[in-house]
Amino acid sequence: MAGTGSMLEPGMLVRHPGRPDWGRGQVQSNIGGKVTVNFEHAGKVVIDIARVDLDPILET
C-alpha cells in the first residue's frame, strides 16, 4: 500500500527513505503506480510506489 504515492505529481520534490545518498528527486511522471524520479545523485529511477513510499519535500 502506497501512502502518498498516488498524490505525487510531476515537478514535486521527494526523497527515497531507503536511499538518502540519492539526494532530492523531482517527480517526472506517475503512471500506473510507477513513479519516475530524477534524483540529484542517482539520475532517473523508476519506483514502484506499492513497494516504496517516497517522502515529499515540503518547501515554503
Side-chain angles (χ1 to χ4, degrees):
M1 185 175 206
T4 58
S6 61
M7 298 184 329
L8 296 175
E9 297 180 358
M12 291 180 74
L13 297 177
V14 296
R15 290 193 190 279
H16 188 299
R19 298 303 306 253
D21 55 312
W22 287 1
R24 295 187 321 168
Q26 184 179 46
V27 175
Q28 305 295 299
S29 65
N30 184 353
I31 301 170
K34 306 286 189 220
V35 179
T36 301
V37 182
N38 190 14
F39 288 98
E40 292 175 311
H41 306 296
K44 284 193 179 180
V45 179
V46 178
I47 297 181
D48 181 348
I49 58 172
R51 302 182 81 167
V52 177
D53 196 13
L54 294 170
D55 296 328
I57 298 173
L58 305 174
E59 295 182 346
T60 58

